[in-house]
Amino acid sequence: EVPPTLDEMIFAISQI
Amino acid sequence: SKHLVLLDLLALLLVTEAKSDVAATMLRTNGSMKFFYSKNRPFTDSENKYVRTLFNYASETNRSVADRYTNLMAAIVDKCQKKIKSRISKVLRRVRELSTDRGIHSEDRLPLELVEKLKAKLGIGPEQSLKNRLISWLDYLSPAQRLKDPEFLRYAIVTAHSIGIPSDINLLIDQKLLRRIRKLGDYMGAVTQLVGEVDLLPPQVLQTLVIQEVPPPPPDRIVIEKTSVEIVEQWARNRHIEEPTETNLRIQFPSLPQPLSQQNTITRSVHCECTLITKIVDDLVQQGTSPLVTLEVGVSKSLCNLCEVFMGSVKKRYPNITIMVSTHHGKNVSGWRLPPLTPLEISREVEDHINSCIEEIRCKAT
């Protein structure tokens, strides 16, 4: 499985 | 720190749209003076023209200071009116939150001498009450239809500025209200500072002044198809470590939004302070400058967490360059992007930080 992209991780952090 | 305050004020003048606190400014001196500015998106032609106009008005040293203030205020009120209106609204919102005396305390409890001093500073006659005068100013601000009138906006700024200047005024006005009044008055503060700074420049420096935008790449839009929960789960799965359950995550982070049925479209941009710092550092490195250099960056917004990390990494890589930025509130924002051609060790360090944030989230939830 591919790891989450940097954009996805930044998005997740911004929501949490 | 005084210089940084000035830069922050100048940055405010470049915010030409409400809700886009994105301008940043930079001054550099070494005999010549260069002024760089940037936003999270490229400036429009009309915005660039406006910046030139501001400097032209400020540097018309053959005109009186009062005339230069008037011309500058007219340009600012014209170009930044949405932001100015939003600052007036914030003053009024606080007024509405307060009781009938609108957060203005009675001057009776202050020493008479101080009251006289404040009245003189605010141009209030000895027979008038400070409290009543401040209340009537706030009432005058209220009717919404006046917001369309540029003369009203100018007056609101100029008065807010003079109210906010005396430090003793905090004995009379609700602190939160005073903060908002001062923010409105900052426009006038920026104008006086700008004219004052230009007047300090020797004429030969003024003639060779460089005023230049550093454009970032245009923002782009991306679609995030996963929820934050899925992203954290996938991150853990990929590392073969314990995945948090959705329930755990929601217990630990109650502010987590419920998954929406539609996808999230995110605007990605390079933040203005990162654009400016990258440009100046690149210039210095290309010139082979090795002595100690201090970069002061003025911003009209708070620094986000990732900009802070980025800056920390730049500082580490170039220890002879000191970077000073005044505000930081540690917000995490989506759509943050590294400047193009960021050196690998800096991008790695930012990525490591992002990974450690996800790991922290995962740990808390598991």
Side-chain angles (χ1 to χ4, degrees):
Chain A
E1 190 180 25
V2 287
T5 64
L6 210 56
D7 290 323
E8 287 170 336
M9 290 195 279
I10 293 173
F11 168 75
I13 296 165
S14 77
Q15 289 211 315
I16 294 168
Chain B
S1 68
K2 207 178 149 194
H3 203 193
L4 268 178
V5 171
L6 164 70
L7 287 171
D8 287 347
L9 280 175
L10 293 182
L12 169 68
L13 300 186
L14 307 189
V15 181
T16 50
E17 290 169 15
K19 290 180 187 163
S20 69
D21 289 352
V22 290
T25 60
M26 161 75 211
L27 279 169
R28 182 167 65 162
T29 46
N30 50 1
S32 69
M33 187 175 273
K34 292 177 179 177
F35 178 87
F36 295 113
Y37 57 93
S38 188
K39 286 189 178 183
N40 292 5
R41 56 155 175 83
F43 271 58
T44 63
D45 289 347
S46 123
E47 286 172 327
N48 274 320
K49 208 173 135 206
Y50 160 72
V51 177
R52 292 237 54 105
T53 305
L54 285 184
F55 272 88
N56 289 342
Y57 282 153
S59 52
E60 284 179 321
T61 42
N62 54 333
R63 284 184 192 271
S64 72
V65 167
D67 277 358
R68 288 151 79 194
Y69 285 177
T70 309
N71 289 341
L72 281 164
M73 281 303 292
I76 292 159
V77 162
D78 177 48
K79 213 62 183 168
C80 310
Q81 49 178 298
K82 283 186 191 157
K83 177 89 183 161
I84 294 168
K85 285 176 190 170
S86 105
R87 290 204 166 178
I88 293 178
S89 306
K90 281 184 181 164
V91 170
L92 296 175
R93 202 176 311 151
R94 182 60 187 159
V95 169
R96 281 195 297 274
E97 284 165 11
L98 295 160
S99 56
T100 45
D101 69 2
R102 300 160 193 76
I104 311 292
H105 313 302
S106 170
E107 63 233 58
D108 296 348
R109 56 182 188 177
L110 299 187
L112 197 60
E113 211 177 302
L114 179 57
V115 174
E116 295 307 323
K117 197 180 91 188
L118 283 172
K119 280 183 177 176
K121 277 190 177 162
L122 296 173
I124 300 173
E127 70 294 343
Q128 268 184 307
S129 136
L130 252 177
K131 178 178 172 167
N132 289 347
R133 185 64 187 271
L134 290 171
I135 287 180
S136 72
W137 178 68
L138 289 172
D139 289 344
Y140 170 78
L141 279 189
S142 298
Q145 71 272 18
R146 292 215 181 106
L147 290 175
K148 290 185 193 125
D149 176 9
E151 184 50 31
F152 168 78
L153 299 182
R154 194 194 62 81
Y155 172 77
I157 291 168
V158 172
T159 320
H161 180 64
S162 44
I163 292 174
I165 288 180
S167 56
D168 302 320
I169 202 80
N170 64 2
L171 301 170
L172 281 182
I173 304 180
D174 166 76
Q175 297 308 296
K176 200 168 171 185
L177 176 61
L178 181 58
R179 257 201 317 278
R180 292 184 179 182
I181 291 174
R182 283 187 169 144
K183 285 194 91 163
L184 176 59
D186 275 351
Y187 284 95
M188 188 61 202
V191 165
T192 54
Q193 295 270 12
L194 178 60
V195 170
E197 288 294 313
V198 166
D199 282 347
L200 288 177
L201 295 176
Q204 65 273 22
V205 171
L206 195 56
Q207 273 158 23
T208 56
L209 190 67
V210 173
I211 302 163
Q212 190 191 321
E213 186 208 354
V214 183
D220 59 359
R221 286 164 83 74
I222 52 161
V223 172
I224 305 280
E225 306 205 6
K226 297 168 204 150
T227 64
S228 334
V229 173
E230 285 166 346
I231 292 164
V232 179
E233 284 169 351
Q234 190 191 7
W235 186 89
R237 208 155 50 237
N238 204 266
R239 281 174 157 67
H240 308 290
I241 47 180
E242 191 184 348
E243 290 172 43
T245 65
E246 172 147 8
T247 316
N248 291 149
L249 274 166
R250 291 199 182 279
I251 291 169
Q252 199 58 242
F253 307 101
S255 61
L256 204 60
Q258 289 299 324
L260 299 166
S261 51
Q262 78 265 36
Q263 301 155 324
N264 284 294
T265 307
I266 304 288
T267 303
R268 294 194 318 158
S269 60
V270 179
H271 287 192
C272 50
E273 44 283 72
C274 299
T275 304
L276 280 179
I277 286 163
T278 302
K279 188 232 166 13
I280 314 284
V281 168
D282 282 355
D283 283 359
L284 290 170
V285 169
Q286 263 174 25
Q287 286 164 16
T289 310
S290 60
L292 297 175
V293 176
T294 301
L295 299 181
E296 292 175 333
V297 178
V299 285
S300 68
K301 64 182 182 102
S302 305
L303 220 58
C304 83
N305 252 335
L306 290 177
C307 287
E308 176 90 359
V309 173
F310 176 83
M311 251 169 242
S313 183
V314 174
K315 284 178 192 173
K316 235 197 276 173
R317 188 180 153 108
Y318 306 100
N320 57 329
I321 303 175
T322 307
I323 300 171
M324 293 167 75
V325 181
S326 60
T327 54
H328 175 51
H329 285 288
K331 259 189 280 181
N332 287 318
V333 293
S334 63
W336 188 92
R337 205 169 132 194
L338 281 162
L341 306 175
T342 299
L344 198 60
E345 60 180 288
I346 295 178
S347 58
R348 279 219 182 105
E349 207 163 326
V350 174
E351 283 167 31
D352 285 350
H353 171 81
I354 293 166
N355 276 305
S356 73
C357 289
I358 301 272
E359 170 62 357
E360 199 183 315
I361 292 164
R362 186 199 70 92
C363 275
K364 278 189 183 160
T366 54

